Amino acid sequence: MQTIKTILPLKQKIAALKQSGKSIGFVPTMGALHQGHLELMRQAKAENDILVVSIFVNPIQFNNPADLEKYPRTLDQDKQLLQSVNCDLLFAPDVKEMYPTPDKTVYHFGKLATVMEGAFRPGHFNGVAVVVKKLFEIVSPDKAYFGEKDFQQLAIIQLLVKQQKLSVTIIPCPTIREADGLAMSSRNMRLTPEERAIAPEIHKILQKTVSLRNVLSPNEMEQYAKKAFNKIQAFDLEYVSVADDTELQPIEHWNDVRGARIFVALQLGNVRLIDNVRIF
Ligand code: PAF
């Protein structure tokens, strides 16, 4: 695996690989890699000739400075994990390389960006879109892989690709969970042992709620889940939403939609966790 920290040599390397007919699979990350990331990488490696991974903790997608500061950074361990999935190229730029001057681009994602994470983390999706667009320009991937745990991010990136007419294919990948159901996330490593023990309740409550889909209306499902989350003292609930799976808008009646998911965000101690489960 070759590690490249600057844009120009990476672009040159990738141009040469493309010239010789190689396809490029890309997994953008912020590091602190876990099995969820590695699954994306295994799939990318299996479906492409070359696997490119980026590790960049993107400051402009953090609306909370403390969250940015506490975000885990584990580059040496990440490199070992990348070797284990036969990553070919690691792009690990610093902030100056990515943003020599502040990037003021403003994207418009309509109502997709006004709900859930968009409502609770102002500016977050614009920051994600800025960095992902830049990374796509640098890496020119044929396919890029994103996990469904960040389902709204995935939808935003699909819209970005459509709006900007980018030539990359976005591949959505299922959420990878620990044996006890907790969705894998870089943030999990910041949970205390007590918090880690309670965290699997998130998935349990979502699953139990989803099992009631034939007897509850969308609103009743939300109320049921809210009550269950609020019963657990350690959880500080931000939102629960039963939403359609394309525009992620709240659902009034089941017959209005073809696909639905339930989404949650909550604070557990100092760690903000999100998860979502398919309803149908
Ligand atoms: O999901 C993430 O890790 C980040 O939001 C991403 C897509 C790498 C952009 O910084």
Side-chain angles (χ1 to χ4, degrees):
M1 179 178 78
Q2 192 181 349
T3 301
I4 299 182
K5 294 189 165 192
T6 48
I7 295 170
L8 196 61
L10 181 70
K11 274 188 158 175
Q12 286 167 342
K13 176 92 197 172
I14 289 176
L17 286 163
K18 290 200 132 187
Q19 193 77 40
S20 61
K22 304 278 189 219
S23 62
I24 309 290
F26 179 43
V27 182
T29 81
M30 298 203 297
L33 302 179
H34 51 69
Q35 284 304 318
H37 291 118
L38 299 188
E39 265 317 302
L40 302 181
M41 292 167 196
R42 285 188 194 103
Q43 189 173 338
K45 182 79 187 179
E47 295 178 357
N48 301 275
D49 299 317
I50 299 293
L51 169 59
V52 181
V53 172
S54 63
I55 294 184
F56 177 63
V57 181
N58 175 34
I60 66 165
Q61 73 183 73
F62 286 81
N63 55 312
N64 175 350
D67 195 23
L68 170 61
E69 197 192 311
K70 285 182 290 183
Y71 202 84
R73 290 156 171 94
T74 56
L75 190 59
D76 290 341
Q77 190 189 316
D78 289 348
K79 283 185 177 171
Q80 284 177 17
L81 291 170
L82 290 174
Q83 308 268 19
S84 77
V85 292
N86 296 318
C87 173
D88 299 286
L89 287 173
L90 166 61
F91 178 49
D94 64 16
V95 175
K96 274 230 155 68
E97 182 68 11
M98 288 299 278
Y99 301 118
T101 55
D103 191 317
K104 297 257 170 44
T105 314
V106 177
Y107 290 98
H108 297 282
F109 298 120
K111 54 187 181 177
L112 188 55
T114 63
V115 291
M116 300 192 291
E117 295 302 282
F120 278 82
R121 302 185 68 189
H124 168 65
F125 286 130
N126 203 72
V128 169
V130 166
V131 81
V132 168
K133 169 99 186 315
K134 259 179 191 285
L135 289 166
F136 284 172
E137 274 163 11
I138 297 165
V139 176
S140 338
D142 295 283
K143 293 180 181 159
Y145 296 75
F146 293 87
E148 287 184 343
K149 188 187 79 74
D150 297 297
F151 200 86
Q152 194 174 6
Q153 167 174 281
L154 174 60
I156 291 277
I157 290 167
Q158 276 164 328
L159 184 55
L160 173 75
V161 167
K162 203 169 151 194
Q163 282 180 350
Q164 303 290 318
K165 300 186 174 58
L166 306 178
S167 64
V168 54
T169 303
I170 302 299
I171 313 285
C173 303
T175 303
I176 304 296
R177 297 182 182 280
E178 303 284 357
D180 58 16
L182 177 64
M184 289 196 187
S185 163
S186 305
R187 293 166 194 266
N188 294 351
M189 63 177 77
R190 290 182 37 231
L191 296 169
T192 64
E194 294 75 23
E195 290 161 358
R196 176 64 189 82
I198 198 89
E201 289 303 315
I202 299 171
H203 185 234
K204 281 200 194 117
I205 292 172
L206 292 179
Q207 273 188 310
K208 173 72 189 158
T209 310
V210 168
S211 75
L212 301 172
R213 66 186 154 224
N214 293 329
V215 289
L216 298 183
S217 69
N219 186 264
E220 285 167 340
M221 271 178 79
E222 267 179 26
Q223 297 314 319
Y224 177 91
K226 263 186 200 161
K227 218 167 149 190
F229 284 117
N230 284 330
K231 256 198 195 145
I232 298 180
Q233 270 205 337
F235 290 164
D236 189 0
L237 186 63
E238 284 190 2
Y239 63 79
V240 175
S241 180
V242 171
D244 73 85
D245 66 0
T246 45
E247 301 206 293
L248 311 192
Q249 301 304 299
I251 300 172
E252 291 210 3
H253 305 288
W254 290 129
N255 1 355
D256 297 347
V257 289
R258 298 171 70 109
R261 296 183 90 92
I262 181 165
F263 298 84
V264 64
L266 54 79
Q267 195 79 29
L268 176 50
N270 286 325
V271 186
R272 187 173 184 276
L273 298 173
I274 60 171
D275 200 355
N276 71 89
V277 167
R278 186 171 173 270
I279 300 173
F280 59 87

